[in-house]
């Protein structure tokens, strides 16, 4: 018998065919827009409405719950479909989720009464929608090993709820807790995903027969210590305890970096970008210990996590996922992507290292870092936006 497979034609405009497409598009563009607005607010004291939020709180919230959550949403709505074999939202459902994210970002910049309340409603509905969109495929196939991801998404929602409760004067001091819990849950997600995928990426992409080593005791101890570290930073008034946990995490992640290292990493941009981001995260724990002892500004550790860790790692993951899920070769990324990574790594150095070396020019270093961040994300958007919008080059759906 001759069986003919009649496939439905794949639409050439594919922006809402899979979760990574709209959310990575928005993350790249918002990486430029949000940083430009922050530069105008911080360096030039521009009068930009931020829905009654203190500009510093707006900046922190939008980099966590705006930019980073867009990357998380795009990655999970794509990866969960691959893990479970169950399609995640696309079409109008995905467009509705994207619209809630956009409304929240825009509302925070509207010079109208109740703009903050509008942003809160849209943002929290987005969080609920993301939890539902990721949970349904997992629950359908009863893949309970993904429960850790679902728990972190719920905690991200709680963090955002705490932020808005404080910003709207419903809860005292919850804004600070919401912001820090938010960034720490982003870190927890990144550490979980890197433990799952980076050794595989290295083994497959290095091409030298190297097999990264994973230690069970390190996996368990790093998770437990990170949870204790979060509790110590948010709820315990003990500098010594926070510094001790930070130093232990610094050492544990150095061991993991050594176990995963092979010189061949440095020949592949989509490997060394993720690896250097992991190095930045390890350094951030060391800086956190030093700041707990009042030897450095806490802002340096925070931006080591944010720029060198979250920024570089998410940019590397977006680049890799976009290539792979649009039918392109992940081993031969576009040439310009190397420049994109280098610009952001330089932004990390100017934001974190230069203020230590030459503190007198602190404001200059911040400005240079902001420009490098914007240039990096503009470059990412120029390279990958056509791929994100158009159909896969192999004709497959997705």
């Amino acid at each position: 018998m001759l069986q003919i497979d009649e496939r439905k034609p794949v639409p050439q405009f594919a922006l809402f065919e899979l979760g990574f497409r709209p959310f990575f598009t928005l993350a790249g563009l918002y990486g430029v827009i949000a940083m430009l607005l922050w530069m105008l607010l911080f360096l030039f004291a521009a009068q930009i409405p931020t829905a009654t939020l203190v500009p510093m709180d707006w900046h922190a919230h939008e980099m966590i719950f705006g930019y980073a959550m867009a990357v998380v949403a795009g990655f999970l709505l794509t990866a969960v479909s691959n893990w479970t074999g169950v399609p995640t939202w696309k079409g109008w459902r995905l467009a509705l989720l994207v619209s809630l994210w956009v409304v929240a970002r825009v509302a925070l910049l509207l010079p109208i009464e109740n703009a903050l309340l509008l942003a809160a409603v849209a943002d929290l509905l987005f969080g609920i929608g993301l939890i539902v969109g990721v949970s349904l495929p997992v629950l359908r196939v009863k893949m309970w090993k993904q429960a850790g991801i679902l728990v972190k998404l719920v905690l991200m929602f709680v963090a955002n709820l705490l932020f808005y409760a404080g910003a709207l004067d419903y809860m005292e001091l919850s804004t600070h807790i919401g912001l820090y819990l938010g960034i720490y849950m982003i870190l927890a997600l990144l550490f979980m995903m890197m433990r799952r995928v980076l050794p595989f990426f290295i083994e497959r992409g290095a091409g030298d027969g190297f097999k990264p080593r994973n230690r069970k005791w390190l996996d368990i101890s790093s998770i437990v210590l990170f949870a204790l570290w979060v509790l110590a930073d948010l709820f315990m008034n003990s500098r010594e305890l926070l510094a001790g946990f930070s130093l232990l995490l610094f050492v544990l992640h150095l061991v993991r970096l050594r176990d995963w290292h092979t010189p061949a990493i440095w020949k592949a941009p989509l490997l060394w970008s993720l690896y250097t981001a992991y190095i930045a995260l390890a350094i951030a724990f060391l800086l956190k210990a030093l700041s707990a002892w009042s030897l450095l500004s806490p802002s340096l550790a925070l931006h080591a996590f944010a720029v060198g860790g979250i920024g570089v790692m998410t940019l590397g993951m977006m680049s890799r996922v976009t290539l792979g899920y649009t039918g392109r070769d992940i081993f031969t990324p576009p040439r310009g992507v190397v420049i994109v990574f280098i610009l952001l790594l330089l932004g990390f150095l100017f934001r974190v290292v230069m203020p230590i070396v030459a503190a007198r020019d602190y404001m200059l270093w911040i400005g240079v870092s902001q420009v490098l961040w914007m240039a990096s994300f503009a470059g990412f958007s120029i390279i990958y936006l056509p791929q994100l919008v158009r159909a896969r080059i192999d004709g497959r759906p997705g």
Side-chain angles (χ1 to χ4, degrees), residues 86-108:
V86 178
T88 49
W89 288 344
K90 67 175 186 176
W92 71 266
R93 291 179 179 86
L94 179 58
L96 179 60
L97 190 64
V98 170
S99 298
L100 289 171
W101 184 93
V102 172
V103 169
R105 312 285 69 84
V106 173
L108 287 175

Side-chain angles (χ1 to χ4, degrees), residues 82 197-212 262 264-265 268 271 320 324 328-331:
N82 187 41
V197 302
L198 190 51
F200 170 74
F201 289 168
I202 292 172
E203 183 176 359
R204 185 183 175 195
D208 59 354
F210 175 74
K211 188 174 180 63
T262 172
I265 286 175
L271 289 182
R320 187 182 185 97
R328 291 170 172 82
D329 185 3
I330 59 174
F331 299 111

Side-chain angles (χ1 to χ4, degrees), residues 175-397:
T175 300
H176 172 85
I177 294 175
L179 289 175
Y180 276 85
L181 180 60
I183 193 172
Y184 291 162
M185 286 306 99
I186 293 292
L187 291 174
L189 279 169
L190 288 183
F191 282 127
M192 174 184 284
M193 297 315 304
M194 286 302 101
R195 169 58 185 85
R196 291 185 182 187
V197 302
L198 190 51
F200 170 74
F201 289 168
I202 292 172
E203 183 176 359
R204 185 183 175 195
D208 59 354
F210 175 74
K211 188 174 180 63
R213 181 179 182 181
N214 291 306
R215 308 169 191 259
K216 189 172 183 179
W217 67 265
L218 195 156
D219 294 339
I220 295 172
S221 59
S222 62
I223 292 172
V224 173
L225 267 176
F226 185 81
L228 293 173
W229 179 79
V230 172
L231 292 173
D233 195 28
L234 294 181
F235 304 110
M236 301 178 191
N237 189 22
S238 173
R239 292 184 176 185
E240 291 74 17
L241 198 60
L242 179 60
F245 287 152
S246 299
L247 286 176
L248 285 172
L249 284 165
F250 170 65
V251 173
L252 287 177
H253 288 294
L254 281 186
V255 173
R256 180 172 282 168
L257 283 164
R258 185 193 65 183
D259 288 342
W260 291 353
H261 183 265
T262 172
I265 286 175
W266 306 104
K267 300 177 182 179
L270 296 184
L271 289 182
W272 63 250
S273 60
L274 298 177
Y275 194 82
T276 52
Y278 209 129
I279 293 173
L281 290 175
I283 292 172
F285 283 117
L286 175 61
L287 297 178
K288 187 71 174 180
L290 296 175
S291 67
W293 287 320
S294 300
L295 298 176
L296 288 176
S297 167
S299 174
L300 297 178
L302 182 62
H303 284 86
F305 284 125
V307 182
I310 296 173
V312 177
M313 193 169 286
T314 52
L315 204 62
M317 284 301 298
M318 286 195 293
S319 300
R320 187 182 185 97
V321 169
T322 300
L323 290 174
Y325 280 88
T326 57
R328 291 170 172 82
D329 185 3
I330 59 174
F331 299 111
T332 55
R335 292 181 181 179
V337 77
V338 175
I339 298 174
V340 166
F341 294 149
I342 290 175
L343 288 172
L344 194 52
L345 284 169
L346 287 173
F348 160 68
L349 293 175
F350 275 100
R351 184 60 187 85
V352 175
V353 178
M354 290 308 296
I356 300 174
V357 176
R360 183 179 301 177
D361 297 315
Y362 181 69
M363 297 298 287
L364 173 62
W365 307 139
I366 290 180
V368 172
S369 178
Q370 290 170 335
V371 170
L372 290 167
W373 172 286
M374 289 186 287
S376 176
F377 279 89
F380 170 85
S381 297
I382 291 169
I383 293 170
Y384 288 105
L385 189 57
Q387 300 178 20
L388 291 165
V389 172
R390 297 171 187 161
R392 291 175 60 111
I393 60 173
D394 56 9
R396 295 174 59 189

